[in-house]
Amino acid sequence: MLFDTHAHYYDGRFDPDREELLASLPGRGVELALCPGCDLSSSRACIALSERFPHIYAAVGVHPEDCGDWEDGFLWELRSLASHAKVRAIGEIGLDYYWKENPPKALQQNVFRRQLELAQSLSLPAIVHDREAHGDCLALVKEFPQVTGVFHCYSGSVDMALELVELGWYLGFDGPITYKNAKKAPEVISAVPLERILVETDAPYMAPEPFRGRRNDSTYVYRMAETIAQIKGLPVETVAAQTTANGRRLFRIPEPAKKE
Ligand code: NI
């Protein structure tokens, strides 16, 4: 059974079938999914979904692409949302230098830093979005040695991956590792211990091969487990069990009670 640690189920593309899809996951090999917010309203929507489905958990945060209207008062709202029993992380937060039209770097860095402070004060892990901002993301998380979490859709170097692992962080891998032109990710996956790897979809975006171009959902997360198994030369069952255990450990979701 798999744990999709990153799926945006509040997205409008799930409006036609969200209920059926989420209800069907445990019967289709996905025992858990974590839904991270990108702003206050999507964070609230993640919590609402987590209340409806026992296998859905939530994270709350403001994404770097959505931080243009940031006010420090948002921290109080995030702090109050984070007290919900199904909220297991602050995310997704981070830096995105890819799009020219994104909020200014200084604002992104301030918003990221404030939310890492929040994660630290609440003893919650962080879900980090790092796009074309590897050096600054690493420097910022190193300001908060008590905070760990996951670098979602990891796209940095092998050296940075090993440094993050050393600091206690996990790395999340998504659809791009299944693409034919994937080069860096297989090297990173080979180099880091399986005990620090998470599988994610980032649904509805970035569907893995052979579903590329379609709407992504957690039922495709097995493709990430298969690809990691292939790269590491391990049975896919081992990768599925270990990545699920990793996600439960990081997000403090206890193993289900064993049936007698
Ligand atoms: Ni995401």
Side-chain angles (χ1 to χ4, degrees):
M1 290 285 269
L2 290 151
F3 182 177
D4 178 3
T5 55
H6 199 112
H8 299 278
Y9 280 121
Y10 53 80
D11 190 279
R13 275 186 267 180
F14 294 109
D15 287 351
D17 62 344
R18 183 178 293 105
E19 298 294 311
E20 304 90 281
L21 174 63
L22 292 182
S24 77
L25 293 180
R28 299 164 79 190
V30 180
E31 69 182 50
L32 292 165
L34 190 141
C35 184
C38 284
D39 56 20
L40 292 178
S41 74
S42 57
S43 295
R44 286 186 206 105
C46 293
I47 293 175
L49 288 172
S50 77
E51 287 174 339
R52 310 273 312 276
F53 299 96
H55 53 284
I56 304 292
Y57 285 80
V60 298
V62 175
H63 191 285
E65 288 181 59
D66 300 301
C67 74
D69 63 348
W70 174 265
E71 295 165 24
D72 282 344
F74 288 6
L75 282 169
W76 290 102
E77 177 74 21
L78 288 171
R79 178 180 286 273
S80 133
L81 293 174
S83 68
H84 190 280
K86 300 270 318 259
V87 172
R88 295 309 165 93
I90 300 299
E92 78 182 79
I93 62 176
L95 303 173
D96 191 316
Y97 297 167
Y98 181 75
W99 303 104
K100 258 205 327 279
E101 59 273 29
N102 276 354
K105 288 183 185 180
L107 175 61
Q108 290 191 36
Q109 290 163 13
N110 177 50
V111 170
F112 187 23
R113 188 178 278 115
R114 301 309 301 271
Q115 294 183 98
L116 286 169
E117 278 167 11
L118 179 66
Q120 175 166 285
S121 80
L122 297 173
S123 299
L124 283 172
I127 297 172
V128 173
H129 171 104
D130 162 18
R131 192 160 187 204
E132 307 284 327
H134 306 319
D136 286 353
C137 272
L138 185 60
L140 261 153
V141 301
K142 283 165 88 170
E143 291 179 20
F144 299 90
Q146 290 147 271
V147 177
T148 64
V150 55
F151 268 59
H152 138 71
C153 198
Y154 184 76
S155 59
S157 66
V158 171
D159 283 351
M160 178 169 157
L162 294 174
E163 186 168 0
L164 284 169
V165 165
E166 186 68 32
L167 294 167
W169 287 77
Y170 292 72
L171 308 177
F173 293 97
D174 307 60
I177 67 168
T178 68
Y179 301 167
K180 277 191 194 70
N181 60 1
K183 275 206 194 81
K184 210 156 56 165
E187 288 172 24
V188 173
I189 290 165
S190 303
V192 300
L194 182 60
E195 288 68 26
R196 291 302 183 80
I197 290 178
L198 301 178
V199 287
E200 318 178 324
T201 57
D202 207 16
Y205 316 105
M206 289 200 296
E209 291 290 1
F211 310 109
R212 205 170 169 180
R214 289 203 219 170
R215 184 188 74 175
N216 198 1
D217 70 54
S218 301
T219 63
Y220 295 160
V221 78
Y222 76 94
R223 288 289 302 124
M224 274 53 93
E226 281 180 350
T227 307
I228 291 163
Q230 205 171 20
I231 292 167
K232 284 196 164 295
L234 292 168
V236 68
E237 295 78 14
T238 306
V239 172
Q242 186 62 54
T243 54
T244 298
N246 297 345
R248 284 185 179 274
R249 189 188 321 121
L250 176 61
F251 299 115
R252 295 182 200 148
I253 301 171
E255 297 287 338
K258 291 233 161 57
K259 291 196 185 94
E260 295 291 311

